Amino acid sequence: MKRPLIAGNWKMFKTTGEATNLVQTIKAGVYKINDCDMVICPPFTALAAVSKILTETPIELGAQNMHPETEGAFTGEISPAMLKDVGCRYVILGHSERRQYFFETDAFVNEKIKTALKYSLIPIVCIGETLEEREDKRQFEVVKNQFDHSFKDLSKEEIVKLVIAYEPVWAIGTGKTATPDQAEQMHSYIRRLLKEKYSEDAANRIAILYGGSVKPDNIASLVKKPNIDGALVGGASLKAESFVQIVSQAVAEVEAGASS
Ligand code: 13P
């Protein structure tokens, strides 16, 4: 039975006080759930406060970004050691908002992945096409290009430590979810790329999450698909009720699938 992974990306939302309230409610809401991996990625300023609340819970802490250098004169940036220091286990890398608004390239994302792995942080690496690219029917070519360059020179031992998130840019924050079939088609394509470059075993060990307008009412139809291992949730992770519902729906769907 697959074990879903649900990660909440809070983006640039929540002051420390708001983050503390939210994570306390989430913690209370999921305390009986054992069959799901959960990650919460608050903004940098709230990491320390959230980390304290998550101690001795199964919920892991993640950051939303990281600089590839271990330290140095990079005003405004955060190093992997700083993330480890505050209790992070995961880090989101190459989110489309970073690529789009801060001009992050695949080569830069590749450097970040390598540093994150050196620090035993689990990178959640985002890839996905824009609306224009999908309308031009170039989505597979675009994702392959991101795959080849973001994962350049990663060994099999390294790649299996990653989580990949397929986030079609046109589905982020728009209320337009990719249909489960559209998402599954891309997830199975990514799985095939992993098989071809590494091995079947490596491909099967890597969690591929879907991200883009995931809500309590669409998570089940997504995780039902064989190649969708969970979700990277934006807007719906900002309310405890919807995040907890997404987690419980994902678990219920996986359990129902396993017993049918
Ligand atoms: P939404 O769930 O708000 O569409 O955001 C998805 C996302 O970007 C998660 O990283």
Side-chain angles (χ1 to χ4, degrees):
M1 192 169 88
K2 83 177 152 194
R3 183 178 169 84
L5 167 55
I6 305 292
N9 173 9
W10 290 4
K11 307 193 178 182
M12 197 173 74
F13 292 94
K14 306 295 176 189
T15 60
T16 307
E18 291 165 344
T20 305
N21 289 341
L22 176 56
V23 80
Q24 265 160 346
T25 322
I26 290 175
K27 179 178 157 180
V30 300
Y31 88 102
K32 279 191 185 151
I33 300 176
N34 302 313
D35 300 325
C36 187
D37 290 327
M38 293 169 269
V39 185
I40 287 179
C41 306
F44 291 134
T45 48
L47 284 172
V50 170
S51 180
K52 272 195 201 127
I53 300 168
L54 295 184
T55 315
E56 291 175 23
T57 75
I59 310 170
E60 299 282 0
L61 186 68
Q64 299 173 20
N65 186 27
M66 188 202 83
H67 195 274
E69 296 295 328
T70 51
E71 60 180 6
F74 299 103
T75 303
E77 290 293 322
I78 299 280
S79 78
M82 292 167 189
L83 298 184
K84 287 292 282 187
D85 181 46
V86 83
C88 286
R89 177 137 191 260
Y90 287 80
V91 58
I92 299 173
L93 297 177
H95 191 281
S96 65
E97 287 151 13
R98 302 271 348 145
R99 294 172 185 265
Q100 196 178 345
Y101 304 130
F102 304 98
F103 313 108
E104 290 197 6
T105 60
D106 290 324
F108 196 45
V109 174
N110 180 252
E111 278 182 57
K112 291 182 186 210
I113 295 172
K114 289 176 181 160
T115 313
L117 291 174
K118 276 195 200 123
Y119 279 79
S120 303
L121 285 159
I122 304 174
I124 302 178
V125 185
C126 305
I127 51 180
E129 80 286 357
T130 62
L131 182 59
E132 199 186 354
E133 289 160 348
R134 182 163 276 260
E135 282 174 349
D136 288 349
K137 302 198 171 16
R138 292 198 295 120
Q139 67 269 32
F140 294 105
E141 176 197 324
V142 167
V143 165
K144 178 167 188 326
N145 202 42
Q146 290 174 334
F147 180 99
D148 287 343
H149 295 95
S150 303
F151 302 149
K152 190 165 176 276
D153 298 331
L154 293 184
S155 67
K156 185 174 161 186
E157 288 66 36
E158 288 172 323
I159 197 84
V160 293
K161 295 188 179 129
L162 259 57
V163 172
I164 298 175
Y166 168 57
E167 297 208 314
V169 180
W170 49 273
I172 296 177
T174 57
K176 271 194 215 169
T177 328
T179 64
D181 285 338
Q182 280 173 322
E184 171 63 14
Q185 199 184 22
M186 187 59 84
H187 281 229
S188 72
Y189 178 66
I190 295 169
R191 191 93 61 200
R192 201 174 83 212
L193 293 176
L194 289 165
K195 259 181 220 166
E196 285 167 6
K197 187 165 172 197
Y198 297 97
S199 69
E200 177 138 15
D201 168 61
N204 292 337
R205 281 165 59 189
I206 297 170
I208 309 179
L209 311 182
Y210 168 79
S213 299
V214 172
K215 303 274 179 301
D217 63 5
N218 58 26
I219 184 70
S221 57
L222 290 161
V223 291
K224 198 184 177 105
K225 297 291 181 187
N227 287 294
I228 302 182
D229 301 309
L232 181 54
V233 186
S237 71
L238 295 171
K239 291 223 159 61
E241 194 187 352
S242 45
F243 186 74
V244 172
Q245 273 181 24
I246 288 173
V247 169
S248 16
Q249 297 283 342
V251 171
E253 178 57 45
V254 168
E255 282 173 358
S259 63
S260 65

